Amino acid sequence: RIVLTGYRSFDNTTSIHDWFIARLSAADGSFDTSFNGVGYKIFNLAGAAAGALVQPDGKMVVVGTSTYAPAAIRCSTTAASIRPSALAA
């Protein structure tokens, strides 16, 4: 699997962004639909995801910025849940 991180912008008039995390199939580059049903997840964290680490159990730790401060989340293998307590500012 391939994991991509970044951000989604609402429009060109604001600097507020949401975290974007996508998981792709290594075989053909298509979205891995076992991840949130569509292969990607958008988190309303007002910043940008900058990188991800896939743990041996398949869960991901994603790091980036949220409101200009460092932040990290840990999401389940299906992106169905995140640990809000893992947010750090």
Side-chain angles (χ1 to χ4, degrees):
R1 296 184 175 135
I2 300 166
V3 176
L4 301 174
T5 62
Y7 66 89
R8 175 191 74 158
S9 181
F10 293 108
D11 57 46
N12 292 332
T13 63
T14 180
S15 61
I16 298 174
H17 308 292
D18 288 332
W19 287 28
F20 177 86
I21 303 164
R23 195 167 71 188
L24 309 176
S25 166
D28 63 5
S30 64
F31 283 110
D32 176 0
T33 56
S34 69
F35 186 70
N36 196 40
V38 292
Y40 64 90
K41 177 87 176 189
I42 296 169
F43 294 98
N44 184 14
L45 293 176
L53 170 74
V54 180
Q55 297 178 306
D57 62 2
K59 295 179 182 176
M60 287 187 286
V61 175
V62 183
V63 297
T65 59
S66 180
T67 317
Y68 305 106
I73 62 169
R74 183 172 187 243
C75 62
S76 67
T77 58
T78 62
S81 65
I82 66 168
R83 287 183 44 118
S85 60
L87 288 173

